[in-house]
Amino acid sequence: MSGPRILMIDDDAELGAMLTEYLAGEGFDTTLVTTGDAGLTAALGGGYAAVLLDIMLPRIGGLDVLRRLRAASRVPVIMLTARGDDVDRVVGLELGADDYVPKPCYPRELVARLRAVLRRSEAAALVAPASIEAGPIRLETEARRVIVAGEIVDLTATEFNLLERLIRAGNRVVAKDELSREVLGRPHETYDRSIDVHMSHLRRKLVERGVDETVLETVRGVGYRVNRA
């Protein structure tokens, strides 16, 4: 029985072949595609549990692939970015990527990030009750939907998990390190802005549906909480 199907979009064929072989040893069934346009077509075709997406790609760049993919699919995406290229990482997270791994990447770190993303995307079957609410926000855990004023808010898997974690915390402030460990699957590092970017994107989507921007409260230097007042 084959493991989760992973799509890798990377024009470095040698690296791709090495990672594909390593992932196979970890139980993943990986397909390698080396151009942006072919990768986008494959990703939109469905059937993949997650996508590993390089930023630098021929024909269509990785960020454009991500933008077009997110318009039609919620499949988890891990970006492969140049080490130290913070701008691409932030833009990718704002476009809806779930996580990133700097290149050259360590295969064990990639597998750990991949498994964390898959665990988060599969968490819906393990939670109850079927829905929880915070003010105008209704979060349907089994369907993985967020509804405001009768309309579905289109969230990524990471944004959904962040919102669920905060709502379940009640009025308690949830520290960034706690959110990073439980939602991203890794400790929060001093200069890592991933949680902040995801939260900014989440807040913007909720505000666009009429939710007051103060509902998701930033507690400076600590973390975030849902303000139910």
Side-chain angles (χ1 to χ4, degrees), residues 1-19:
M1 180 178 178
S2 61
R5 296 186 65 216
I6 306 300
L7 176 65
M8 182 183 303
I9 310 174
D10 195 320
D11 65 337
D12 187 334
E14 183 177 353
L15 174 65
M18 183 270 289
L19 290 176

Side-chain angles (χ1 to χ4, degrees), residues 142-164:
E142 293 183 1
R144 303 272 303 172
R145 293 189 305 192
V146 170
I147 299 176
V148 174
E151 295 187 4
I152 295 176
V153 184
D154 188 19
L155 301 182
T156 66
T158 299
E159 291 162 1
F160 181 94
N161 291 335
L162 276 173
L163 181 59
E164 180 181 13

Side-chain angles (χ1 to χ4, degrees), residues 134-218:
I137 304 168
R138 185 169 86 252
L139 188 146
E140 298 181 348
T141 56
E142 293 183 1
R144 303 272 303 172
R145 293 189 305 192
V146 170
I147 299 176
V148 174
E151 295 187 4
I152 295 176
V153 184
D154 188 19
L155 301 182
T156 66
T158 299
E159 291 162 1
F160 181 94
N161 291 335
L162 276 173
L163 181 59
E164 180 181 13
R165 181 66 186 83
L166 289 170
I167 291 177
R168 290 189 183 281
N171 291 323
R172 183 173 71 84
V173 177
V174 185
K176 290 182 183 180
D177 185 65
E178 188 174 346
L179 289 171
S180 186
R181 289 178 184 276
E182 295 187 11
V183 177
L184 299 183
R186 66 174 188 268
H188 178 261
E189 298 178 358
T190 304
Y191 299 106
D192 185 355
R193 295 185 56 205
S194 300
I195 289 293
D196 296 323
V197 172
H198 285 304
M199 287 298 301
S200 175
H201 215 206
L202 171 60
R203 182 183 284 115
R204 178 181 59 79
K205 290 181 178 181
L206 292 174
V207 169
E208 288 174 352
R209 289 292 189 272
V211 176
D212 192 288
E213 63 181 7
T214 62
V215 168
L216 289 184
E217 182 181 357
T218 302

Side-chain angles (χ1 to χ4, degrees), residues 80-172:
L80 304 177
T81 67
R83 191 172 298 276
D85 198 344
D86 294 332
V87 173
D88 278 347
R89 293 176 190 173
V90 170
V91 172
L93 292 171
E94 290 177 340
L95 290 174
D98 295 275
D99 203 351
Y100 65 85
V101 175
K103 294 175 68 177
C105 59
Y106 298 102
R108 288 182 63 183
E109 179 185 6
L110 179 60
V111 168
R113 297 285 183 90
L114 185 55
R115 285 180 172 151
V117 163
L118 292 176
R119 283 196 302 271
R120 298 196 300 268
S121 68
E122 295 167 356
L126 304 177
V127 296
S131 68
I132 51 178
E133 296 185 4
I137 304 168
R138 185 169 86 252
L139 188 146
E140 298 181 348
T141 56
E142 293 183 1
R144 303 272 303 172
R145 293 189 305 192
V146 170
I147 299 176
V148 174
E151 295 187 4
I152 295 176
V153 184
D154 188 19
L155 301 182
T156 66
T158 299
E159 291 162 1
F160 181 94
N161 291 335
L162 276 173
L163 181 59
E164 180 181 13
R165 181 66 186 83
L166 289 170
I167 291 177
R168 290 189 183 281
N171 291 323
R172 183 173 71 84

